[in-house]
């Protein structure tokens, strides 16, 4: 999965340097300083993150690891009623170990096994019938047929062991350096509602394994609505009963295309989240979860399904930098060709610098 939200995390943190990271991530509506109507601000950012993906519900437990360096900035304009409009962009290298990041739910369907089995059974049955008819008169041919059949079985076994050209060992050695980008337009009419449109391009620099050189694309739209005022800071005396102020709702829709232009599918995540800060250094914690309505592309031959998705994120501001760690998890109940029942995980940690 799915995939890291590195650029989204970094860019949402940067324009709200005076806010806690949980508030900046959209989990809160208020609690931070906002631009006055007509005021403009630009914030340069640099984010470095190491992350890994673990698809333990798939055959062979495929993994990917990467170190990303994202360089960009945020242009923000203040609006009436405490609202804002922001354009956020970043680009940078992604050092890849194993396989590249991919859109959630991608499957690899290989029907060569079935075709080979059918051809083998059909050919064997036909040969067997012919052999039965000529059995009395062609004992010598029978022996030759048996030998040929044994050779065919050996070839079939060799073909099985070849694994059809797919690398199910999932070698995680260093592979190459790709290019990763992020572009988002975000409109917040007030301090509780946020609407964002995003584009996440990812350029694979060369053919390697199952990765195809070219530009992967992901388009997204997200709406976040804070139910409370967002001011939940246990260092300032808030209690457990104040957590209601940190509750938010969000709906995130994503569509993905592979680098060869293949439409992978789309998913929609309605979630309930909670964000708050604690400790003298305003350590921020965000927790969210909800169903994932996934519709695979026609290439997969699979039906739509409902999975479970969530994320836990911890961040700590240190001067002009923010240290963070996050864990995204999904669970699927579906066991189908190219897809399996179980968990997928994505974990990452890094630092964002604002200037």
């Amino acid at each position: 999965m799915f995939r890291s939200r590195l650029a989204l995390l970094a860019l949402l943190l940067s324009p709200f340097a005076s806010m806690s990271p949980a508030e900046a991530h959209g989990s809160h509506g208020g609690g931070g300083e906002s631009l006055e109507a007509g005021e403009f601000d630009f914030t340069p950012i640099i984010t470095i993150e190491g992350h890994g993906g673990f698809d333990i519900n798939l055959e062979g437990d495929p993994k990917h690891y990467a170190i990303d360096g994202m360089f960009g900035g945020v242009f923000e304009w203040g609006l009436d009623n405490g609202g804002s409009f922001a354009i956020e962009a970043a680009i940078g290298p992604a050092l890849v170990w194993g396989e590249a990041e991919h859109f959630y739910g991608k499957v690899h369907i290989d029907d060569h096994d079935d075709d080979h089995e059918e051809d083998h059974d059909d050919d064997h049955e036909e040969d067997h019938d012919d052999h039965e008819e000529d059995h009395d008169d062609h004992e010598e041919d029978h022996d030759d047929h048996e030998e040929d059949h044994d050779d065919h079985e050996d070839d079939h076994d060799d073909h099985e062991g070849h694994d059809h050209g797919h690398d199910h060992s999932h070698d995680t050695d260093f592979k190459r350096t790709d290019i990763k980008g992020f572009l988002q337009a975000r409109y917040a009419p007030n301090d509780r509602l946020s609407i964002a449109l995003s584009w996440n391009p990812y350029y694979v620099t060369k053919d390697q394994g199952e990765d195809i050189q070219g530009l992967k694309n992901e388009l997204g739209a997200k709406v976040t609505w804070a139910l409370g005022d967002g001011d939940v800071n246990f260092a300032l005396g808030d209690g457990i009963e104040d957590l209601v102020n940190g509750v938010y709702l969000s709906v995130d829709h994503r569509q993905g295309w592979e680098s060869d232009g293949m439409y992978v599918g789309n998913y929609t995540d309605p979630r309930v989240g909670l964000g708050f800060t604690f400790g003298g250094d305003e350590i921020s914690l965000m927790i969210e979860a909800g169903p994932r309505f996934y519709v695979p592309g026609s290439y997969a031959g699979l039906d739509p399904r409902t999975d479970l998705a969530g994320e836990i994120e911890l961040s700590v501001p240190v001067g002009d930098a923010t240290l963070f760690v996050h864990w995204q998890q999904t669970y699927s109940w579906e066991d189908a060709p190219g897809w399996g029942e179980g968990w997928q995980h994505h974990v990452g940690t890094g630092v964002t610098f604002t200037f």
Side-chain angles (χ1 to χ4, degrees), residues 6 49 51 64-71 91-97 99-101 174-181 201-205:
L6 163 66
E49 179 186 8
H51 57 94
H64 75 262
Y65 303 93
I67 297 177
D68 301 337
M70 303 293 286
F71 305 86
I91 190 170
L95 282 66
V96 178
W97 284 261
E99 57 185 3
E101 292 184 50
F174 178 75
K175 295 298 188 298
R176 63 184 182 276
T177 300
D178 292 336
I179 305 298
K180 189 174 183 178
Y202 185 102
Y203 185 75
V204 179
T205 54

Side-chain angles (χ1 to χ4, degrees), residues 22 33 38 45 51 59 118 129 164 178 180 204 251 256 271 280 290:
E33 298 178 4
I45 60 168
H51 57 94
E59 182 180 355
E118 291 175 5
D129 292 340
H164 319 304
D178 292 336
K180 189 174 183 178
V204 179
V251 178
R271 292 187 179 184

Side-chain angles (χ1 to χ4, degrees), residues 43-343:
T43 305
I45 60 168
I46 296 176
T47 296
I48 300 173
E49 179 186 8
H51 57 94
F54 309 92
D55 300 336
I56 59 178
N57 67 316
L58 303 184
E59 182 180 355
D61 295 344
K63 305 175 182 64
H64 75 262
Y65 303 93
I67 297 177
D68 301 337
M70 303 293 286
F71 305 86
V74 180
F75 299 87
E76 185 180 17
W77 292 265
L79 303 177
D80 294 333
N81 301 317
S84 65
F85 176 77
I87 296 177
E88 313 169 355
I91 190 170
L95 282 66
V96 178
W97 284 261
E99 57 185 3
E101 292 184 50
H102 50 268
F103 190 78
Y104 178 80
K106 180 182 176 183
V107 300
H108 300 282
I109 300 298
D110 186 1
D111 57 6
H112 186 71
D113 284 341
D114 295 337
D115 292 342
H116 180 79
E117 290 292 343
E118 291 175 5
D119 291 342
H120 170 70
D121 292 341
D122 292 343
D123 291 344
H124 180 70
E125 287 297 331
E126 292 175 4
D127 292 344
H128 181 70
D129 292 340
D130 293 341
H131 170 73
E132 287 293 336
E133 293 174 3
D134 299 336
H135 177 73
D136 294 334
D137 299 329
H138 302 284
E139 286 293 338
E140 190 172 328
D141 290 343
H142 170 74
D143 294 338
D144 292 341
H145 175 75
E146 287 295 335
E147 293 175 3
D148 291 342
H149 178 70
D150 291 340
D151 292 341
H152 179 73
E153 288 293 339
D154 291 340
D155 291 342
H156 177 71
D157 293 339
D158 291 342
H159 185 70
E160 290 279 348
H162 183 62
D163 209 15
H164 319 304
H166 288 293
D167 181 13
H168 290 295
S169 63
H170 301 289
D171 176 26
T172 53
D173 291 342
F174 178 75
K175 295 298 188 298
R176 63 184 182 276
T177 300
D178 292 336
I179 305 298
K180 189 174 183 178
F182 174 79
L183 178 64
Q184 178 178 268
R186 178 181 49 80
Y187 169 61
N190 53 55
D191 61 357
R192 292 196 177 189
L193 179 63
S194 170
I195 303 170
L197 300 176
S198 63
W199 172 40
N200 292 50
Y202 185 102
Y203 185 75
V204 179
T205 54
K206 65 178 178 179
D207 293 344
Q208 201 166 43
E210 296 181 348
D211 294 325
I212 301 173
Q213 181 177 0
L215 185 66
K216 299 184 180 187
N217 288 280
E218 177 185 308
L219 297 178
K222 185 173 184 178
V223 177
T224 304
W225 178 38
L227 300 182
D229 59 19
D231 289 328
V232 183
N233 189 327
F234 291 109
L236 301 180
D238 290 330
I240 297 297
E241 68 278 5
D242 297 308
L243 283 177
V244 65
N245 289 322
V247 175
Y248 64 94
L249 304 176
S250 68
V251 178
D252 189 8
H253 178 79
R254 303 278 168 171
Q255 303 197 42
W257 291 262
E258 267 298 304
S259 50
D260 59 357
M262 181 186 73
Y263 179 64
V264 181
N266 68 82
Y267 63 83
T268 302
D269 286 356
R271 292 187 179 184
V272 177
L274 172 64
F276 57 89
T277 58
F278 59 92
D281 294 326
E282 293 191 347
I283 300 172
S284 174
L285 180 64
M286 180 270 289
I287 304 171
E288 62 181 34
R292 169 165 290 179
F293 302 108
Y294 179 72
V295 180
S298 60
Y299 80 99
L302 300 178
D303 295 328
R305 65 175 188 268
T306 301
D307 298 335
L308 174 66
E311 181 174 6
I312 300 174
E313 179 183 297
L314 182 70
S315 56
V316 182
V318 181
D320 291 332
T322 300
L323 307 177
F324 63 87
V325 58
H326 65 103
W327 170 33
Q328 299 169 340
Q329 60 284 143
T330 56
Y331 183 84
S332 178
W333 289 268
E334 186 72 18
D335 190 3
W339 190 257
E341 178 182 359
W343 290 95

